Amino acid sequence: MNPRRLIPYLLIFLVMVGAYVGLKWREAQRAARKERAKKIFHLKETEISALSLIRGPKVVSLAKKQKIWYLTAPLDTKADQTITDSVVGTLVRLRTERDLGVEKDLKPYGLKNPGLVVKFTAQGKPHQLAVGAKVPGGESYYVLKDHDPRLLMISRGSKDTLDRSLLALRDKTLLSFISSEVEGLKIVTGKKTTADLKQAGPGQWRWVGRPHFKVRGDKVDKLLRDLQLAQAKNFVEPPPKNLRPLGLVPRRRTVVTVITSKGNQTLLLGAKKDDTVYARKGDKGPIMLVEASLPDEITKTLASLEDRRLWSGAIPRVHQVIWGPPGKTWIAKKNKESWQITGPDQAATKQPAVRLEMALWDFQKLEALKTLTKAGAAGSPAYLVELRGRDGKPLFHLEEIGSQGKKTVKVVTRTGAKIVAALVRQKPFKEWQDEMKRLTASAKKQQTPEKGKSAKSKP
């Protein structure tokens, strides 16, 4: 076929494609114009610099300074950035559900004395939104924009986002610090120092003045995260002059100090009130009510701060696990996404990486009830566990020596050159051994050809 004969068809095709693209573009333009027409304010979030929520005689005002929102009335303090941004974002995206036109009598619509007026400044120009009554039988509210006489309707969700209380708009953060800048943590009850901790490295902590006390770094890190996320449930306004009933006086209060490279952050915790406790930022900060679980978590952490784990190494470093009674041990070797397990009588199986690593995580939970100063005669081990690294060198070695009564087992562990004898609870140790048995339950004995016979017969 002559290629020149295809040119008219190609031109027709290109014209049709152009017409289709043009049609779609015009449809998109019409939809965009329609959507713009529904927008109440044609602004950007970054253009709004001040905001007031007016409910009758009560006014809550905010101002933006260096990209941070602050309350300016009735309090002078930092605002909740997330909540304030949601109010500003709602104003910018606010769209009308319906335009009812001009109404001379605004009283039936709750707009003669509106329950909420949102005033704000954008690019130096004032704007406002008056919110009236709820539409009967609907989920919308009547509103007026600026000095426009047209009666509009907005959704209930938009109204609820704009109608924020002073408590909602107030910054409720107890302690604001960056985790990477934390250098220490001090907890004092009354005049007694309960804990004085210094960071020795990522996830590593030491107790000042107690060089032989091994600190659980993961517990300290979790407590810091809890302090970082904790928020006030309410504020005590105005703050009372007598702080003794609140438990915020020396000898009765708990003082938590987070030491950072940028300065210290201090939180005072006092007496309980229902399901909360009184708290204060430093000696001059606002008085708040916080969850009672926060001091409970601090007490719980201090009680479990000593690292009694038999093994506290890093699970990703383990590439080989040996376990079981001597002479009947199993060996698991790590591949990319699985562990190849072999055992007695050439039995073999394969398990997903997550299963064996979960077992290692459970093994890491085993703790010493008591460390023995004298190991005594070792005897023949009843059970052993060895963890090795990528290079095949031992990371940790454990031998179960025997039972000590009905509830404890004596073990001897070796990490590097350090040898420790300890007593552990028999039940969790036995449960872990059962967990390892389940990993090998699917193991099958490998078939080997008999002597003198090949695996496959030859013709």
Side-chain angles (χ1 to χ4, degrees):
M1 187 176 185
N2 191 340
R4 292 183 179 180
R5 295 183 180 181
L6 295 176
I7 293 177
Y9 298 102
L10 179 60
L11 292 174
I12 294 172
F13 174 74
L14 292 174
V15 170
M16 292 177 65
V17 169
Y20 176 78
V21 172
L23 178 63
K24 285 295 181 181
W25 181 81
R26 286 191 293 273
E27 287 179 354
Q29 291 295 308
R30 282 197 296 269
R33 285 194 297 270
K34 188 176 180 181
E35 189 62 29
R36 281 197 298 271
K38 287 186 175 182
K39 286 194 70 173
I40 295 179
F41 299 105
H42 298 277
L43 301 167
K44 297 179 181 179
E45 292 183 40
T46 54
E47 295 173 347
I48 299 178
S49 57
L51 175 72
S52 292
L53 303 180
I54 304 168
R55 303 175 186 87
K58 296 182 179 180
V59 180
V60 178
S61 298
L62 304 100
K64 197 173 189 180
K65 303 172 186 177
Q66 296 180 344
K67 299 183 179 181
I68 297 176
W69 284 99
Y70 292 89
L71 280 160
T72 56
L75 299 169
D76 186 6
T77 185
K78 190 177 179 181
D80 186 307
Q81 304 304 301
T82 302
I83 298 298
T84 308
D85 285 343
S86 72
V87 174
V88 172
T90 299
L91 282 172
V92 169
R93 293 186 293 272
L94 197 62
R95 62 194 300 273
T96 178
E97 298 284 307
R98 189 177 174 188
D99 187 338
L100 300 177
V102 178
E103 291 286 345
K104 293 183 178 180
D105 185 8
L106 298 176
K107 188 175 181 180
Y109 304 100
L111 287 165
K112 187 173 183 180
N113 295 301
L116 172 66
V117 177
V118 182
K119 292 187 175 183
F120 61 97
T121 302
Q123 291 186 317
K125 296 180 180 180
H127 297 273
Q128 76 170 38
L129 182 79
V131 183
K134 185 179 180 183
V135 176
E139 291 294 317
S140 301
Y141 282 80
Y142 299 113
V143 300
L144 287 177
K145 166 197 171 183
D146 292 335
H147 301 291
D148 192 332
R150 290 178 302 129
L151 187 64
L152 308 176
M153 291 165 54
I154 64 170
S155 68
R156 177 182 176 181
S158 297
K159 185 265 180 186
D160 291 344
T161 304
L162 295 172
D163 195 4
R164 298 288 187 162
S165 66
L166 174 61
L167 176 61
L169 290 165
R170 189 171 180 177
D171 182 28
K172 294 170 283 295
T173 305
L174 301 185
L175 296 171
S176 55
F177 57 88
I178 300 174
S179 301
S180 60
E181 296 176 353
V182 175
E183 296 177 347
L185 176 65
K186 186 179 289 187
I187 301 172
V188 180
T189 303
K191 289 188 175 182
K192 181 182 178 182
T193 301
T194 307
D196 188 358
L197 306 166
K198 296 290 184 184
Q199 194 168 41
Q204 297 179 359
W205 292 82
R206 61 182 180 86
W207 191 314
V208 178
R210 301 180 68 177
H212 301 296
F213 188 96
K214 188 179 179 183
V215 179
R216 283 201 62 163
D218 58 330
K219 299 274 187 177
V220 182
D221 289 342
K222 181 183 181 302
L223 178 57
L224 285 171
R225 287 194 298 271
D226 290 340
L227 290 169
Q228 201 172 30
L229 296 173
Q231 292 196 331
K233 291 188 69 176
N234 211 335
F235 294 84
V236 180
E237 296 289 354
K241 293 181 179 180
N242 184 11
L243 298 180
R244 185 171 292 278
L246 280 58
L248 293 173
V249 293
R251 296 190 180 185
R252 291 193 61 192
R253 66 191 184 185
T254 296
V255 183
V256 179
T257 304
V258 180
I259 304 165
T260 77
S261 57
K262 299 292 180 64
N264 298 346
Q265 301 261 336
T266 301
L267 178 68
L268 312 179
L269 297 171
K272 279 192 174 184
K273 181 186 178 183
D274 302 325
D275 61 343
T276 61
V277 295
Y278 290 102
R280 193 175 198 180
K281 294 182 179 182
D283 290 319
K284 297 182 179 180
I287 296 176
M288 306 164 284
L289 288 168
V290 303
E291 292 280 0
S293 59
L294 181 60
D296 291 342
E297 183 62 29
I298 292 173
T299 302
K300 179 181 174 182
T301 299
L302 292 177
S304 60
L305 206 53
E306 184 177 6
D307 194 346
R308 294 178 171 270
R309 291 175 294 178
L310 300 179
W311 175 64
S312 57
I315 291 176
R317 290 186 61 196
V318 179
H319 283 259
Q320 189 172 336
V321 184
I322 302 171
W323 75 95
K328 296 182 179 180
T329 56
W330 291 83
I331 301 175
K333 293 184 178 181
K334 187 177 183 180
N335 295 322
K336 287 185 178 180
E337 297 180 356
S338 64
W339 288 76
Q340 188 67 42
I341 303 174
T342 56
D345 302 322
Q346 297 182 352
T349 186
K350 184 188 289 187
Q351 291 291 350
V354 65
R355 284 202 64 186
L356 200 135
E357 286 162 17
M358 281 296 295
L360 288 174
W361 187 71
D362 289 335
F363 181 72
Q364 218 170 33
K365 295 179 183 178
L366 297 176
E367 294 184 337
L369 282 174
K370 181 180 179 182
T371 301
L372 305 176
T373 54
K374 295 182 180 180
S380 300
Y383 196 91
L384 62 86
V385 180
E386 186 165 286
L387 310 178
R388 296 181 180 179
R390 187 187 296 273
D391 56 4
K393 294 181 180 179
L395 302 171
F396 175 82
H397 183 89
L398 175 145
E399 293 184 358
E400 177 191 346
I401 303 304
S403 300
Q404 296 284 308
K406 294 182 178 180
K407 296 184 178 181
T408 59
V409 173
K410 179 181 176 182
V411 297
V412 175
T413 65
R414 183 174 67 250
T415 307
K418 186 178 181 181
I419 299 176
V420 177
L423 296 180
V424 299
R425 285 191 176 89
Q426 189 177 58
K427 184 179 178 182
F429 189 38
K430 181 65 168 59
E431 288 174 348
W432 183 80
Q433 292 177 14
D434 291 339
E435 182 179 357
M436 299 304 285
K437 283 182 180 179
R438 289 192 290 273
L439 288 175
T440 61
S442 61
K444 295 181 180 180
K445 184 178 179 181
Q446 293 180 343
Q447 299 294 325
T448 56
E450 296 180 17
K451 190 174 181 180
K453 294 184 179 180
S454 60
K456 293 182 180 179
S457 60
K458 296 181 181 180

